[in-house]
Amino acid sequence: MNRRHFVAVAATVSVAGCTGLFDGEERSNLDLTVQNERAQPVTVQVVVVDDEGTTYEDESDQIDSGVARAFEVPVGTDGRHEVTVSGEDWTGKLAWDATTCRLFDGRVRVTDDLVEVAGECVDQR
């Protein structure tokens, strides 16, 4: 096998592995919406981990007043997963079991007085 052919095959296998082409099970997904209802913009940190400590998302973003920001995160196929959304003076957490939930819909609403969190499995396995 020549070198170019080997590199092309290796790249194809690498991409297929990263996209889950060889996985037998379909991954679970998180659809998260963070709504800022404060008078000022907020900087949020979104961290998604599983119960084994694997981090699937670790992102920071500024959300303007009156604006919602969506995050879509593919995660593992089984076990407990948790999303933590935090700002300078607040934190909201949600968790779900990817073994039984293919698509988890989470919502975090930040106001001047409180942080509301809600979530539900919208597509079960």
Side-chain angles (χ1 to χ4, degrees):
M1 179 181 317
N2 68 34
R3 184 176 178 180
R4 275 187 241 183
H5 184 56
F6 176 75
V7 170
V9 169
T12 301
V13 170
S14 176
V15 169
C18 289
T19 59
L21 194 60
F22 296 137
D23 291 345
E25 295 182 64
E26 188 176 328
R27 300 176 70 94
S28 182
N29 289 289
L30 166 66
D31 282 347
L32 174 69
T33 303
V34 180
Q35 174 74 39
N36 177 17
E37 294 187 9
R38 288 187 168 187
Q40 301 296 319
V42 294
T43 299
V44 300
Q45 182 73 35
V46 176
V47 179
V48 181
V49 297
D50 67 13
D51 56 356
E52 295 177 1
T54 302
T55 300
Y56 294 94
E57 183 79 73
D58 188 351
E59 181 178 347
S60 179
D61 196 9
Q62 182 170 317
I63 303 174
D64 290 330
S65 176
V67 174
R69 165 79 160 82
F71 298 85
E72 295 180 12
V73 183
V75 298
T77 58
D78 59 356
R80 183 177 192 276
H81 288 71
E82 182 176 284
V83 57
T84 302
V85 181
S86 57
E88 188 174 306
D89 58 351
W90 57 272
T91 299
K93 292 186 178 188
L94 291 162
W96 74 101
D97 186 348
T99 306
T100 59
C101 185
R102 182 175 296 135
L103 177 60
F104 186 79
D105 182 37
R107 293 171 299 284
V108 177
R109 182 175 157 252
V110 182
T111 70
D112 289 328
D113 300 323
L114 57 94
V115 176
E116 293 179 344
V117 295
E120 67 177 320
C121 179
V122 294
D123 188 8
Q124 295 186 356
R125 294 185 191 271

